[in-house]
Amino acid sequence: MSKVIVLTGAGGVLCGALAKALAKEGHKIAVLDLRKEAADSVANEINEAGGVAIGVAANVLEKESLDLAKTEVNNKLGLCDILINGAGGNHPLGTTSNPFFEMEDLNNKAEGFKTFFDLDAKGVEFTFNLNFLGTLIPTQVFAKDMVGRKGCSILNISSMNAFTPLTKIPAYSGAKAAVSNFTQWLAVHFSKVGIRVNALAPGFFLTDQNRSLLTKSDGSLTPRGNQIIDQTPMGKFGEPEDLVGTTLWLCGEGAAFVTGVVIPIDGGFSAYSGV
Ligand code: NAD
């Protein structure tokens, strides 16, 4: 059955791919993004391929902006059946330069070198707001359409770093742990009114955000890129399409009794101790 699916951050790599895959299944897609032209570009691609989509400008941190987006979605596509909270990301000011703090770091005055003691609260705040509030506020707006209706669900995008934090990115790891925790909380909270709430925990996917961290200009891996592949039993980065099957399952009737789960899609990364 065709559903109205709202995806935030869908002008980006992963949720753009999900939007296109869900459109192919016959669903009507609202592509929300802070960058209107990126949202329009994904929506145009869907429409040109024979699907139904609209691009909508929306800031997941501003309720007024989301209220306007919801009015547009309701007028053009109908009530929202499924919300995928995809907007998210990290900030360099919430990131350390090195994985471990060493004694000599106390005297390292190199430009741009950041230890734990240099983390900027503004960078940490940005990351927590974007990932956590950026999941909670759109849910407050769009879940109103779902209360008491059949077949409605919410899919959050957490990360494998929510299970065990990755080195260097304490703010992003903590913010995604909050998204996983909120997924369980909301699943319980909405359990009596027919709204299921689940999350994907993607592992490492090569995207514009992390390409320069993981690969060099000639395409070979950086030391961190190599470390990730060594730690991934399946020995490769994920492709955006790897998220599609689990998304279709969690948003469909086959998962009608599934709520409050966070599914790792990480080639075994979070299952592997490294030994
Ligand atoms: P991306 O940067 O390609 O997409 C994120 C999109 O969110 C962008 O289009 C951006 O414009 C939009 N956005 C940013 N701030 C916004 C705001 N305030 N309001 C609305 N939209 C906003 O990133 P991606 O790699 O496709 O990541 C998608 C999701 O998956 C994110 O939540 C990310 O944290 C998560 N994730 C990514 C990976 C990975 O390896 N790429 C791994 C685990 C989890």
Side-chain angles (χ1 to χ4, degrees):
M1 200 182 83
S2 170
K3 300 213 158 145
V4 173
I5 304 186
V6 174
L7 299 99
T8 71
V13 178
L14 298 184
C15 287
L18 288 183
K20 290 174 210 165
L22 289 161
K24 276 199 189 128
E25 298 293 314
H27 301 299
K28 293 184 213 157
I29 308 295
V31 180
L32 271 58
D33 205 285
L34 195 56
R35 300 174 300 129
K36 170 80 163 86
E37 62 297 351
D40 283 342
S41 156
V42 172
N44 288 342
E45 225 183 290
I46 291 172
N47 290 321
E48 278 160 20
V52 177
I54 55 170
V56 184
N59 183 346
V60 293
L61 297 176
E62 286 178 10
K63 184 147 184 309
E64 302 72 37
S65 153
L66 291 159
D67 283 335
L68 284 174
K70 179 173 181 289
T71 302
E72 189 176 340
V73 171
N74 289 161
N75 288 340
K76 294 185 176 163
L77 302 180
L79 293 178
C80 171
D81 298 298
I82 289 170
L83 170 66
I84 300 185
N85 283 308
N90 190 21
H91 194 285
L93 293 178
T95 303
T96 63
S97 299
N98 285 339
F100 306 105
F101 188 83
E102 311 271 2
M103 288 306 287
E104 59 266 28
D105 292 346
L106 280 174
N107 301 314
N108 189 335
K109 304 279 179 252
E111 168 104 25
F113 182 75
K114 280 199 284 53
T115 72
F116 168 73
F117 298 106
D118 305 309
L119 288 177
D120 186 320
K122 289 273 172 235
V124 176
E125 185 182 28
F126 173 94
T127 308
F128 266 82
N129 284 352
L130 176 57
N131 293 282
F132 182 64
L133 286 179
T135 296
L136 187 146
I137 301 171
T139 303
Q140 287 181 310
V141 172
F142 286 100
K144 283 213 173 124
D145 276 358
M146 303 180 191
V147 175
R149 291 173 54 237
K150 282 205 184 315
C152 293
S153 72
I154 295 161
L155 186 65
N156 296 329
I157 311 291
S158 182
S159 166
M160 122 291 284
N161 66 33
F163 302 111
T164 306
L166 292 176
T167 57
K168 306 213 277 189
I169 51 171
Y172 184 58
S173 299
K176 287 301 193 186
V179 170
S180 290
N181 188 282
F182 177 60
T183 299
Q184 294 177 304
W185 182 87
L186 198 64
V188 172
H189 193 65
F190 277 160
S191 58
K192 311 292 186 203
V193 293
I195 308 174
R196 296 182 301 104
V197 188
N198 296 295
L200 306 183
F204 288 93
F205 288 68
L206 208 49
T207 60
D208 296 340
Q209 243 180 53
N210 59 22
R211 193 174 307 277
S212 62
L213 282 174
L214 306 182
T215 57
K216 299 183 200 158
S217 50
D218 64 3
S220 63
L221 294 175
T222 61
R224 193 167 172 90
N226 265 315
Q227 202 184 1
I228 289 162
I229 296 297
D230 284 348
Q231 185 72 25
T232 303
M234 292 178 83
K236 58 181 183 125
F237 296 118
E239 301 289 336
E241 290 65 32
D242 291 329
L243 301 179
V244 171
T246 310
T247 299
L248 292 178
W249 169 59
L250 284 175
C251 294
E253 289 312 300
F257 198 48
V258 179
T259 195
V261 302
V262 181
I263 308 274
I265 304 177
D266 64 357
F269 184 95
S270 56
Y272 184 42
S273 74
V275 178

